[in-house]
Coordinates of all heavy atoms in Angstrom, one line a residue:
V1 N 0.8 -1.2 0.0 CA 0.0 0.0 0.0 C 0.9 1.2 0.0 O 1.8 1.3 0.8 CB -0.9 0.0 1.2 CG1 -1.7 1.3 1.3 CG2 -1.8 -1.2 1.2
W2 N 0.6 2.2 -0.9 CA 1.4 3.4 -1.0 C 0.7 4.5 -0.2 O -0.5 4.5 0.0 CB 1.5 3.8 -2.4 CG 2.5 3.0 -3.2 CD1 3.8 3.0 -3.1 CD2 2.1 2.0 -4.2 NE1 4.4 2.0 -4.0 CE2 3.3 1.4 -4.7 CE3 0.9 1.5 -4.7 CZ2 3.4 0.4 -5.6 CZ3 1.0 0.5 -5.7 CH2 2.2 0.0 -6.1
K3 N 1.5 5.5 0.2 CA 1.0 6.6 1.0 C 0.1 7.5 0.0 O 0.4 7.6 -1.2 CB 2.1 7.5 1.5 CG 2.9 6.8 2.6 CD 4.0 7.7 3.1 CE 4.9 7.0 4.1 NZ 6.0 7.9 4.5
P4 N -0.9 8.1 0.6 CA -1.8 9.0 -0.3 C -0.9 10.1 -0.8 O 0.1 10.6 -0.2 CB -2.8 9.5 0.7 CG -2.8 8.5 1.8 CD -1.5 8.0 1.9
F5 N -1.3 10.7 -2.0 CA -0.5 11.8 -2.6 C -1.5 12.6 -3.4 O -2.6 12.2 -3.7 CB 0.6 11.2 -3.5 CG 0.1 10.4 -4.7 CD1 -0.2 11.0 -5.9 CD2 -0.1 9.1 -4.5 CE1 -0.7 10.3 -6.9 CE2 -0.6 8.3 -5.6 CZ -0.9 8.9 -6.8
S6 N -1.0 13.8 -3.7 CA -1.8 14.8 -4.6 C -0.9 15.3 -5.6 O 0.3 15.5 -5.4 CB -2.3 15.9 -3.8 OG -3.3 15.5 -2.8
V7 N -1.4 15.5 -6.8 CA -0.7 16.0 -7.9 C -1.6 16.9 -8.7 O -2.8 16.6 -8.9 CB 0.0 14.9 -8.8 CG1 -1.1 14.0 -9.4 CG2 0.9 15.5 -9.8
S8 N -1.1 18.0 -9.2 CA -2.0 18.9 -10.0 C -2.4 18.2 -11.3 O -1.6 17.5 -11.9 CB -1.4 20.3 -10.3 OG -0.4 20.2 -11.3
L9 N -3.6 18.5 -11.8 CA -4.0 17.9 -13.0 C -3.2 18.5 -14.2 O -3.0 17.8 -15.2 CB -5.5 18.1 -13.3 CG -6.5 17.2 -12.5 CD1 -7.9 17.6 -12.9 CD2 -6.2 15.8 -12.8
E10 N -2.8 19.7 -14.0 CA -1.9 20.3 -15.1 C -0.6 19.6 -15.3 O -0.2 19.3 -16.4 CB -1.7 21.8 -14.7 CG -1.0 22.6 -15.8 CD -1.8 22.6 -17.1 OE1 -3.1 22.7 -17.0 OE2 -1.2 22.6 -18.2
K11 N 0.0 19.2 -14.1 CA 1.3 18.5 -14.2 C 1.0 17.0 -14.7 O 1.8 16.4 -15.4 CB 2.0 18.4 -12.9 CG 2.7 19.7 -12.5 CD 3.5 19.5 -11.3 CE 4.3 20.8 -11.0 NZ 5.1 20.6 -9.8
L12 N 0.0 16.4 -14.2 CA -0.3 15.0 -14.5 C -0.7 14.8 -15.9 O -0.2 13.8 -16.6 CB -1.4 14.5 -13.5 CG -1.8 13.0 -13.6 CD1 -0.6 12.2 -13.2 CD2 -2.9 12.8 -12.7
C13 N -1.6 15.6 -16.4 CA -2.2 15.3 -17.7 C -2.6 16.5 -18.5 O -3.4 16.5 -19.4 CB -3.4 14.4 -17.6 SG -4.7 15.2 -16.5
A14 N -1.9 17.7 -18.2 CA -2.2 18.9 -18.9 C -3.7 19.3 -18.8 O -4.2 20.0 -19.7 CB -1.7 18.9 -20.3
G15 N -4.3 18.9 -17.7 CA -5.7 19.2 -17.5 C -6.7 18.4 -18.2 O -7.9 18.5 -18.1
D16 N -6.2 17.4 -19.1 CA -7.1 16.6 -19.9 C -7.2 15.2 -19.2 O -6.3 14.4 -19.3 CB -6.5 16.5 -21.3 CG -7.3 15.6 -22.2 OD1 -8.3 15.0 -21.8 OD2 -6.9 15.5 -23.4
K17 N -8.3 14.9 -18.6 CA -8.5 13.7 -17.9 C -8.6 12.4 -18.7 O -8.6 11.3 -18.2 CB -9.8 13.8 -17.0 CG -9.6 14.8 -15.8 CD -10.8 14.9 -14.9 CE -11.7 15.9 -15.4 NZ -12.9 16.1 -14.5
D18 N -8.7 12.6 -20.1 CA -8.7 11.5 -21.0 C -7.3 11.3 -21.7 O -7.1 10.5 -22.5 CB -9.8 11.7 -22.0 CG -11.1 11.5 -21.4 OD1 -11.3 10.6 -20.6 OD2 -12.0 12.3 -21.7
R19 N -6.3 12.2 -21.3 CA -5.0 12.0 -21.9 C -4.3 10.9 -21.3 O -4.3 10.6 -20.1 CB -4.2 13.3 -21.6 CG -2.9 13.4 -22.2 CD -2.2 14.7 -22.0 NE -0.9 14.7 -22.6 CZ -0.1 15.8 -22.6 NH1 -0.5 16.9 -22.1 NH2 1.1 15.7 -23.2
Q20 N -3.5 10.1 -22.1 CA -2.8 8.9 -21.6 C -1.7 9.4 -20.6 O -1.0 10.4 -20.9 CB -2.2 8.2 -22.7 CG -3.2 7.4 -23.6 CD -3.7 6.2 -22.9 OE1 -2.9 5.4 -22.3 NE2 -5.0 6.0 -22.8
I21 N -1.5 8.7 -19.5 CA -0.4 8.9 -18.6 C 0.3 7.6 -18.4 O -0.4 6.5 -18.5 CB -0.9 9.5 -17.2 CG1 -2.0 8.6 -16.6 CG2 -1.4 10.9 -17.4 CD1 -2.4 9.1 -15.2
L22 N 1.5 7.6 -18.0 CA 2.3 6.4 -17.8 C 2.6 6.4 -16.3 O 3.2 7.3 -15.7 CB 3.6 6.5 -18.6 CG 4.6 5.3 -18.4 CD1 3.9 4.0 -18.9 CD2 5.9 5.5 -19.1
I23 N 2.3 5.3 -15.6 CA 2.6 5.0 -14.2 C 3.7 3.9 -14.2 O 3.4 2.8 -14.7 CB 1.4 4.6 -13.4 CG1 0.3 5.7 -13.5 CG2 1.8 4.3 -12.0 CD1 -1.0 5.3 -12.9
E24 N 4.8 4.2 -13.6 CA 5.9 3.2 -13.5 C 6.1 2.9 -12.0 O 6.1 3.8 -11.2 CB 7.2 3.8 -14.1 CG 7.2 3.9 -15.6 CD 8.5 4.4 -16.1 OE1 9.0 5.5 -15.8 OE2 9.1 3.6 -16.9
V25 N 6.3 1.6 -11.7 CA 6.4 1.2 -10.3 C 7.8 0.5 -10.2 O 8.2 -0.3 -11.1 CB 5.3 0.2 -10.0 CG1 5.5 -0.4 -8.6 CG2 4.0 0.8 -10.1
F26 N 8.5 0.9 -9.2 CA 9.9 0.4 -8.9 C 9.9 -0.3 -7.6 O 9.3 0.1 -6.6 CB 10.9 1.6 -8.9 CG 11.1 2.2 -10.3 CD1 10.2 3.2 -10.7 CD2 12.1 1.8 -11.1 CE1 10.4 3.8 -11.9 CE2 12.3 2.4 -12.4 CZ 11.4 3.4 -12.8
D27 N 10.8 -1.3 -7.5 CA 11.1 -1.9 -6.2 C 12.3 -1.2 -5.7 O 13.4 -1.2 -6.3 CB 11.4 -3.4 -6.5 CG 11.7 -4.1 -5.1 OD1 11.4 -3.6 -4.1 OD2 12.3 -5.2 -5.2
W28 N 12.1 -0.5 -4.6 CA 13.2 0.4 -4.0 C 14.3 -0.5 -3.4 O 14.0 -1.5 -2.7 CB 12.6 1.2 -2.9 CG 13.6 2.2 -2.3 CD1 13.8 3.5 -2.8 CD2 14.5 2.0 -1.2 NE1 14.8 4.1 -2.0 CE2 15.2 3.2 -1.0 CE3 14.7 1.0 -0.3 CZ2 16.2 3.4 0.0 CZ3 15.6 1.2 0.7 CH2 16.3 2.3 0.8
E29 N 15.5 -0.2 -3.7 CA 16.7 -0.9 -3.2 C 17.6 0.0 -2.5 O 17.8 1.2 -2.9 CB 17.5 -1.5 -4.4 CG 16.7 -2.6 -5.2 CD 16.4 -3.8 -4.4 OE1 17.1 -4.2 -3.5 OE2 15.4 -4.5 -4.8
K30 N 18.1 -0.4 -1.3 CA 19.0 0.5 -0.5 C 20.2 0.9 -1.3 O 20.7 2.0 -1.1 CB 19.4 -0.3 0.8 CG 20.1 0.5 1.8 CD 20.3 -0.3 3.1 CE 21.0 0.5 4.1 NZ 21.2 -0.3 5.4
S31 N 20.7 0.1 -2.2 CA 21.9 0.4 -3.0 C 21.6 1.5 -3.9 O 22.6 2.1 -4.5 CB 22.3 -0.8 -3.8 OG 21.3 -1.1 -4.7
G32 N 20.4 1.9 -4.2 CA 20.0 2.9 -5.1 C 19.7 2.4 -6.5 O 19.3 3.1 -7.4
K33 N 19.9 1.1 -6.7 CA 19.7 0.5 -8.0 C 18.3 -0.1 -8.0 O 18.1 -1.3 -7.9 CB 20.7 -0.6 -8.3 CG 22.1 -0.1 -8.5 CD 23.1 -1.2 -8.7 CE 24.5 -0.7 -8.9 NZ 25.5 -1.7 -9.2
H34 N 17.3 0.8 -8.1 CA 15.9 0.4 -8.0 C 15.5 -0.4 -9.2 O 15.9 -0.1 -10.3 CB 15.0 1.7 -7.8 CG 15.5 2.6 -6.8 ND1 15.8 2.2 -5.5 CD2 15.8 3.9 -6.8 CE1 16.2 3.3 -4.8 NE2 16.3 4.3 -5.6
Q35 N 14.7 -1.4 -9.0 CA 14.3 -2.4 -10.0 C 12.9 -2.0 -10.6 O 12.0 -1.9 -9.8 CB 14.3 -3.8 -9.5 CG 15.6 -4.3 -8.9 CD 16.7 -4.4 -10.0 OE1 16.4 -4.9 -11.1 NE2 17.9 -3.8 -9.7
V36 N 12.8 -2.0 -11.9 CA 11.5 -1.7 -12.5 C 10.6 -2.9 -12.3 O 11.0 -4.1 -12.6 CB 11.6 -1.4 -14.0 CG1 10.2 -1.3 -14.6 CG2 12.5 -0.2 -14.3
M37 N 9.4 -2.7 -11.7 CA 8.4 -3.8 -11.5 C 7.4 -3.8 -12.6 O 6.8 -4.8 -12.9 CB 7.7 -3.6 -10.2 CG 8.6 -3.9 -9.0 SD 7.8 -3.7 -7.4 CE 6.7 -5.1 -7.5
G38 N 7.2 -2.7 -13.3 CA 6.3 -2.6 -14.4 C 5.7 -1.2 -14.6 O 6.1 -0.3 -13.9
Q39 N 4.9 -1.2 -15.6 CA 4.3 0.1 -15.9 C 2.8 -0.1 -16.4 O 2.5 -1.2 -16.8 CB 5.1 0.8 -16.9 CG 5.3 0.1 -18.3 CD 6.2 0.8 -19.2 OE1 7.0 1.6 -18.8 NE2 6.1 0.5 -20.5
I40 N 2.1 1.0 -16.4 CA 0.7 1.0 -16.8 C 0.4 2.3 -17.6 O 0.8 3.3 -17.1 CB -0.3 0.9 -15.6 CG1 0.0 -0.4 -14.8 CG2 -1.7 1.0 -16.0 CD1 -0.7 -0.4 -13.4
Q41 N -0.2 2.2 -18.7 CA -0.7 3.3 -19.4 C -2.2 3.4 -19.1 O -2.9 2.4 -19.3 CB -0.4 3.3 -20.9 CG 1.0 3.6 -21.2 CD 1.1 4.2 -22.6 OE1 0.4 3.8 -23.5 NE2 2.0 5.1 -22.8
T42 N -2.7 4.6 -18.7 CA -4.1 4.8 -18.3 C -4.4 6.3 -18.4 O -3.6 7.1 -18.9 CB -4.3 4.2 -16.9 OG1 -5.8 4.2 -16.7 CG2 -3.6 5.0 -15.8
T43 N -5.6 6.6 -18.0 CA -6.0 8.0 -17.9 C -6.5 8.3 -16.5 O -6.8 7.4 -15.8 CB -7.2 8.3 -18.9 OG1 -8.3 7.6 -18.5 CG2 -6.8 7.9 -20.4
V44 N -6.7 9.6 -16.2 CA -7.2 10.0 -14.9 C -8.7 9.4 -14.8 O -9.1 8.9 -13.8 CB -7.2 11.5 -14.7 CG1 -8.0 12.0 -13.5 CG2 -5.8 12.0 -14.6
N45 N -9.5 9.6 -15.9 CA -10.8 9.1 -15.8 C -10.9 7.6 -15.6 O -11.7 7.1 -14.8 CB -11.6 9.5 -17.1 CG -12.1 10.9 -17.0 OD1 -12.4 11.4 -16.0 ND2 -12.2 11.5 -18.2
A46 N -9.9 6.8 -16.2 CA -9.9 5.4 -15.9 C -9.5 5.1 -14.5 O -10.1 4.2 -13.9 CB -8.9 4.7 -16.9
L47 N -8.6 5.8 -13.9 CA -8.2 5.6 -12.5 C -9.4 5.9 -11.6 O -9.7 5.2 -10.6 CB -7.1 6.5 -12.1 CG -5.7 6.1 -12.7 CD1 -4.7 7.2 -12.4 CD2 -5.3 4.8 -12.2
L48 N -10.2 7.0 -11.9 CA -11.4 7.3 -11.1 C -12.4 6.2 -11.2 O -13.1 5.9 -10.2 CB -11.9 8.7 -11.5 CG -11.1 9.9 -11.2 CD1 -11.6 11.1 -11.9 CD2 -10.9 10.1 -9.7
F49 N -12.5 5.6 -12.4 CA -13.5 4.5 -12.6 C -13.1 3.3 -11.7 O -14.0 2.6 -11.2 CB -13.5 4.1 -14.0 CG -14.4 2.9 -14.3 CD1 -15.7 3.0 -14.3 CD2 -13.8 1.6 -14.5 CE1 -16.5 1.8 -14.6 CE2 -14.5 0.5 -14.7 CZ -15.9 0.6 -14.8
L50 N -11.8 3.1 -11.5 CA -11.4 1.9 -10.7 C -11.7 2.0 -9.2 O -11.7 1.0 -8.5 CB -9.9 1.8 -10.8 CG -9.4 1.4 -12.2 CD1 -7.8 1.4 -12.2 CD2 -9.9 0.0 -12.6
V51 N -11.9 3.2 -8.7 CA -12.1 3.5 -7.3 C -13.2 2.6 -6.7 O -14.3 2.5 -7.1 CB -12.4 4.9 -7.0 CG1 -12.8 5.1 -5.5 CG2 -11.3 5.8 -7.4
G52 N -12.7 1.9 -5.6 CA -13.7 1.1 -4.8 C -14.1 -0.3 -5.3 O -14.8 -1.0 -4.7
G53 N -13.6 -0.6 -6.5 CA -14.0 -1.9 -7.0 C -13.0 -3.0 -6.8 O -11.9 -2.9 -7.4
S54 N -13.2 -3.9 -5.9 CA -12.2 -4.9 -5.5 C -11.8 -5.8 -6.7 O -10.8 -6.3 -6.7 CB -12.7 -5.7 -4.4 OG -13.9 -6.4 -4.7
N55 N -12.7 -5.9 -7.7 CA -12.4 -6.7 -8.9 C -11.9 -5.8 -10.1 O -11.8 -6.2 -11.2 CB -13.6 -7.5 -9.3 CG -14.8 -6.6 -9.7 OD1 -14.9 -5.5 -9.3 ND2 -15.8 -7.2 -10.3
R56 N -11.7 -4.5 -9.8 CA -11.3 -3.5 -10.8 C -9.8 -3.2 -10.5 O -9.5 -2.7 -9.5 CB -12.1 -2.2 -10.8 CG -13.5 -2.4 -11.1 CD -14.2 -1.1 -11.0 NE -15.6 -1.2 -11.2 CZ -16.5 -0.2 -10.9 NH1 -16.1 0.9 -10.5 NH2 -17.8 -0.5 -11.1
N57 N -8.9 -3.6 -11.4 CA -7.5 -3.3 -11.2 C -6.8 -3.1 -12.6 O -7.4 -3.4 -13.6 CB -6.9 -4.3 -10.4 CG -7.1 -5.7 -10.9 OD1 -6.7 -6.0 -12.0 ND2 -7.7 -6.6 -10.1
L58 N -5.6 -2.6 -12.5 CA -4.8 -2.5 -13.7 C -3.6 -3.4 -13.6 O -2.9 -3.5 -12.6 CB -4.3 -1.1 -13.8 CG -5.4 0.0 -14.1 CD1 -4.8 1.4 -14.0 CD2 -5.9 -0.2 -15.5
E59 N -3.3 -4.2 -14.7 CA -2.2 -5.1 -14.7 C -0.9 -4.4 -14.8 O -0.7 -3.5 -15.6 CB -2.4 -6.1 -15.8 CG -1.4 -7.2 -15.7 CD -1.6 -8.3 -16.8 OE1 -2.4 -8.0 -17.8 OE2 -1.1 -9.4 -16.6
L60 N 0.1 -4.7 -13.9 CA 1.4 -4.2 -13.9 C 2.3 -5.0 -14.8 O 2.5 -6.2 -14.5 CB 1.9 -4.1 -12.5 CG 3.2 -3.3 -12.2 CD1 3.0 -1.9 -12.6 CD2 3.5 -3.4 -10.7
K61 N 2.8 -4.5 -15.9 CA 3.6 -5.3 -16.8 C 5.0 -4.7 -17.0 O 5.2 -3.5 -17.0 CB 3.0 -5.4 -18.2 CG 1.8 -6.3 -18.1 CD 1.3 -6.5 -19.6 CE 0.2 -7.6 -19.6 NZ -0.2 -7.9 -21.0
H62 N 6.0 -5.5 -17.3 CA 7.3 -5.1 -17.7 C 7.9 -6.1 -18.6 O 7.9 -7.3 -18.3 CB 8.3 -5.0 -16.4 CG 9.7 -4.5 -16.8 ND1 9.9 -3.3 -17.3 CD2 10.8 -5.2 -16.6 CE1 11.2 -3.2 -17.5 NE2 11.8 -4.3 -17.1
K63 N 8.3 -5.7 -19.8 CA 8.8 -6.6 -20.9 C 7.8 -7.7 -21.2 O 8.2 -8.9 -21.2 CB 10.1 -7.1 -20.6 CG 11.2 -6.0 -20.5 CD 12.6 -6.5 -20.2 CE 13.6 -5.4 -20.1 NZ 14.9 -5.9 -19.8
K64 N 6.5 -7.3 -21.3 CA 5.4 -8.2 -21.6 C 5.1 -9.3 -20.5 O 4.3 -10.2 -20.7 CB 5.7 -8.9 -22.9 CG 5.7 -8.0 -24.1 CD 5.8 -8.7 -25.4 CE 5.9 -7.7 -26.6 NZ 6.0 -8.4 -27.8
R65 N 5.8 -9.2 -19.4 CA 5.5 -10.1 -18.3 C 4.7 -9.4 -17.2 O 4.9 -8.3 -16.8 CB 6.9 -10.6 -17.7 CG 6.7 -11.5 -16.5 CD 8.0 -12.1 -16.1 NE 7.8 -12.8 -14.8 CZ 8.6 -12.9 -13.9 NH1 9.8 -12.4 -13.9 NH2 8.3 -13.6 -12.8
S66 N 3.7 -10.1 -16.7 CA 2.9 -9.6 -15.6 C 3.6 -9.6 -14.3 O 4.1 -10.7 -13.9 CB 1.5 -10.3 -15.5 OG 0.7 -9.8 -14.5
Y67 N 3.5 -8.5 -13.5 CA 4.1 -8.5 -12.2 C 3.1 -8.2 -11.1 O 3.4 -7.8 -10.0 CB 5.2 -7.4 -12.2 CG 6.5 -7.9 -12.8 CD1 6.7 -7.8 -14.1 CD2 7.5 -8.4 -12.0 CE1 7.9 -8.2 -14.7 CE2 8.7 -8.9 -12.6 CZ 8.9 -8.8 -13.9 OH 10.1 -9.2 -14.5
G68 N 1.8 -8.4 -11.5 CA 0.8 -8.2 -10.5 C -0.2 -7.1 -11.0 O -0.4 -6.9 -12.2
F69 N -0.8 -6.4 -10.1 CA -1.8 -5.4 -10.4 C -1.8 -4.3 -9.4 O -1.3 -4.4 -8.4 CB -3.2 -6.0 -10.6 CG -3.7 -6.5 -9.3 CD1 -4.5 -5.7 -8.5 CD2 -3.5 -7.8 -8.9 CE1 -5.0 -6.1 -7.3 CE2 -4.1 -8.3 -7.7 CZ -4.8 -7.4 -6.9
I70 N -2.4 -3.2 -9.9 CA -2.7 -2.0 -9.0 C -4.1 -1.8 -8.9 O -4.9 -1.9 -9.8 CB -2.0 -0.8 -9.6 CG1 -0.5 -0.9 -9.5 CG2 -2.5 0.5 -8.9 CD1 0.2 0.3 -10.0
Q71 N -4.6 -1.7 -7.6 CA -6.0 -1.4 -7.3 C -6.1 -0.1 -6.6 O -5.3 0.2 -5.7 CB -6.5 -2.5 -6.3 CG -7.9 -2.3 -5.9 CD -8.3 -3.5 -5.0 OE1 -8.0 -4.6 -5.2 NE2 -9.0 -3.1 -3.9
V72 N -7.0 0.8 -7.1 CA -7.1 2.1 -6.5 C -8.4 2.1 -5.6 O -9.5 2.0 -6.1 CB -7.3 3.2 -7.6 CG1 -7.4 4.6 -7.0 CG2 -6.1 3.1 -8.6
D73 N -8.2 2.3 -4.3 CA -9.3 2.2 -3.4 C -10.0 3.6 -3.2 O -11.2 3.7 -3.0 CB -8.9 1.7 -2.0 CG -8.5 0.2 -2.2 OD1 -9.1 -0.5 -3.0 OD2 -7.5 -0.2 -1.5
T74 N -9.2 4.7 -3.2 CA -9.7 6.0 -3.1 C -8.9 7.0 -4.1 O -7.7 6.9 -4.2 CB -9.6 6.6 -1.7 OG1 -8.2 6.7 -1.3 CG2 -10.4 5.8 -0.7
A75 N -9.7 7.8 -4.7 CA -9.1 8.9 -5.6 C -10.2 9.9 -5.8 O -11.4 9.6 -5.9 CB -8.6 8.3 -6.9
S76 N -9.8 11.2 -6.0 CA -10.8 12.2 -6.2 C -10.1 13.4 -6.9 O -8.9 13.5 -6.8 CB -11.4 12.7 -4.9 OG -10.5 13.2 -4.0
I77 N -10.9 14.2 -7.5 CA -10.4 15.5 -8.1 C -10.9 16.6 -7.1 O -12.0 16.7 -6.7 CB -11.1 15.8 -9.5 CG1 -10.8 14.6 -10.4 CG2 -10.6 17.1 -10.0 CD1 -9.4 14.4 -10.8
V78 N -9.9 17.3 -6.7 CA -10.1 18.4 -5.7 C -9.9 19.7 -6.3 O -8.9 20.0 -7.0 CB -9.1 18.2 -4.5 CG1 -9.3 19.3 -3.5 CG2 -9.2 16.9 -3.9
G79 N -10.9 20.7 -6.1 CA -10.7 22.0 -6.6 C -10.9 22.1 -8.1 O -10.0 22.4 -8.8
E80 N -12.1 21.7 -8.7 CA -12.3 21.8 -10.1 C -12.1 23.1 -10.7 O -12.2 23.3 -11.9 CB -13.7 21.2 -10.4 CG -13.9 19.8 -10.2 CD -13.4 18.9 -11.4 OE1 -13.0 19.5 -12.5 OE2 -13.4 17.7 -11.3
G81 N -11.8 24.2 -9.9 CA -11.7 25.5 -10.4 C -10.4 25.7 -11.2 O -10.0 25.0 -12.1
S82 N -9.6 26.8 -10.8 CA -8.4 27.2 -11.6 C -7.2 26.2 -11.4 O -6.4 26.1 -12.3 CB -8.1 28.6 -11.2 OG -7.8 28.7 -9.9
T83 N -7.1 25.6 -10.2 CA -5.9 24.7 -10.0 C -6.4 23.4 -9.4 O -6.1 23.0 -8.3 CB -4.9 25.4 -9.0 OG1 -5.6 25.7 -7.8 CG2 -4.3 26.6 -9.6
P84 N -7.1 22.6 -10.2 CA -7.5 21.3 -9.7 C -6.4 20.3 -9.5 O -5.3 20.4 -10.2 CB -8.5 20.8 -10.8 CG -8.0 21.5 -12.0 CD -7.5 22.8 -11.6
S85 N -6.5 19.4 -8.6 CA -5.5 18.3 -8.4 C -6.2 17.0 -8.2 O -7.3 17.0 -7.7 CB -4.6 18.7 -7.2 OG -5.3 18.7 -6.0
M86 N -5.5 15.9 -8.4 CA -6.0 14.6 -8.2 C -5.3 14.1 -6.9 O -4.1 14.2 -6.7 CB -5.6 13.6 -9.3 CG -6.1 12.2 -9.1 SD -5.9 11.2 -10.5 CE -6.7 9.7 -9.9
T87 N -6.2 13.6 -6.0 CA -5.7 13.1 -4.7 C -6.0 11.6 -4.8 O -7.1 11.2 -5.1 CB -6.4 13.7 -3.5 OG1 -6.1 15.1 -3.6 CG2 -6.0 13.1 -2.2
A88 N -5.0 10.8 -4.5 CA -5.2 9.3 -4.5 C -4.6 8.8 -3.2 O -3.7 9.2 -2.7 CB -4.5 8.7 -5.7
G89 N -5.3 7.8 -2.7 CA -4.9 7.1 -1.5 C -5.3 5.7 -1.5 O -6.1 5.3 -2.3
D90 N -4.7 4.9 -0.6 CA -5.0 3.5 -0.5 C -4.9 2.8 -1.8 O -5.7 2.1 -2.3 CB -6.5 3.3 0.0 CG -6.7 3.8 1.4 OD1 -5.7 3.8 2.2 OD2 -7.7 4.3 1.7
I91 N -3.7 3.0 -2.5 CA -3.4 2.4 -3.7 C -2.6 1.1 -3.3 O -1.7 1.1 -2.6 CB -2.6 3.3 -4.6 CG1 -3.4 4.5 -5.0 CG2 -2.2 2.5 -5.9 CD1 -2.6 5.5 -5.8
T92 N -3.1 0.0 -3.8 CA -2.6 -1.3 -3.4 C -1.9 -2.0 -4.6 O -2.5 -2.0 -5.7 CB -3.7 -2.2 -2.9 OG1 -4.3 -1.5 -1.8 CG2 -3.1 -3.5 -2.4
G93 N -0.7 -2.5 -4.5 CA -0.1 -3.3 -5.5 C 0.0 -4.7 -5.0 O 0.4 -5.0 -3.9
K94 N -0.3 -5.6 -5.9 CA -0.2 -7.1 -5.5 C 0.7 -7.8 -6.5 O 0.5 -7.6 -7.7 CB -1.6 -7.7 -5.5 CG -2.6 -7.1 -4.6 CD -2.7 -7.8 -3.3 CE -3.8 -7.0 -2.5 NZ -4.1 -7.5 -1.3
A95 N 1.6 -8.5 -6.1 CA 2.5 -9.2 -7.0 C 2.0 -10.7 -7.1 O 1.3 -11.1 -6.3 CB 3.9 -9.2 -6.4

């Protein structure tokens, strides 16, 4: 489970919730040589659709091999006005 985080929609997807974004997941190593676990291409709207569905997840792949999945338990758009941001929490990865 990852810690909750917020990111502006402008930085994440240039304000376009249907624009493709790339999420990369790494296995942290003390040596600093972090290992790629996989990546997912998705959109903000697709991530919001996943919220709360225990059977809704995104497959984590690296070099065509599955390394598990990511499940989004909570996510929301905060401040739909001039500086909206996406807040996500309780993101779970399963190998």
Side-chain angles (χ1 to χ4, degrees):
V1 176
W2 288 287
K3 292 180 184 180
F5 64 91
S6 293
V7 62
S8 77
L9 283 180
E10 189 61 36
K11 282 186 177 182
L12 184 63
C13 59
D16 180 356
K17 293 183 270 187
D18 290 315
R19 183 178 181 171
Q20 288 287 312
I21 58 174
L22 177 67
I23 299 171
E24 293 183 298
V25 179
F26 293 84
D27 183 17
W28 186 87
E29 298 293 335
K30 191 175 183 178
S31 67
K33 295 181 181 181
H34 312 307
Q35 302 294 313
V36 176
M37 292 181 66
Q39 60 187 21
I40 297 166
Q41 280 205 329
T42 188
T43 66
V44 169
N45 279 332
L47 290 173
L48 292 171
F49 174 76
L50 294 175
V51 173
S54 61
N55 60 343
R56 297 179 187 168
N57 54 58
L58 294 170
E59 188 175 15
L60 190 59
K61 288 187 171 186
H62 180 63
K63 296 182 180 179
K64 297 184 181 181
R65 181 174 169 211
S66 178
Y67 281 83
F69 66 90
I70 290 180
Q71 178 179 319
V72 181
D73 295 325
T74 61
S76 61
I77 303 295
V78 179
E80 287 278 353
S82 61
T83 56
S85 64
M86 180 172 182
T87 301
D90 298 326
I91 298 175
T92 307
K94 304 261 182 177

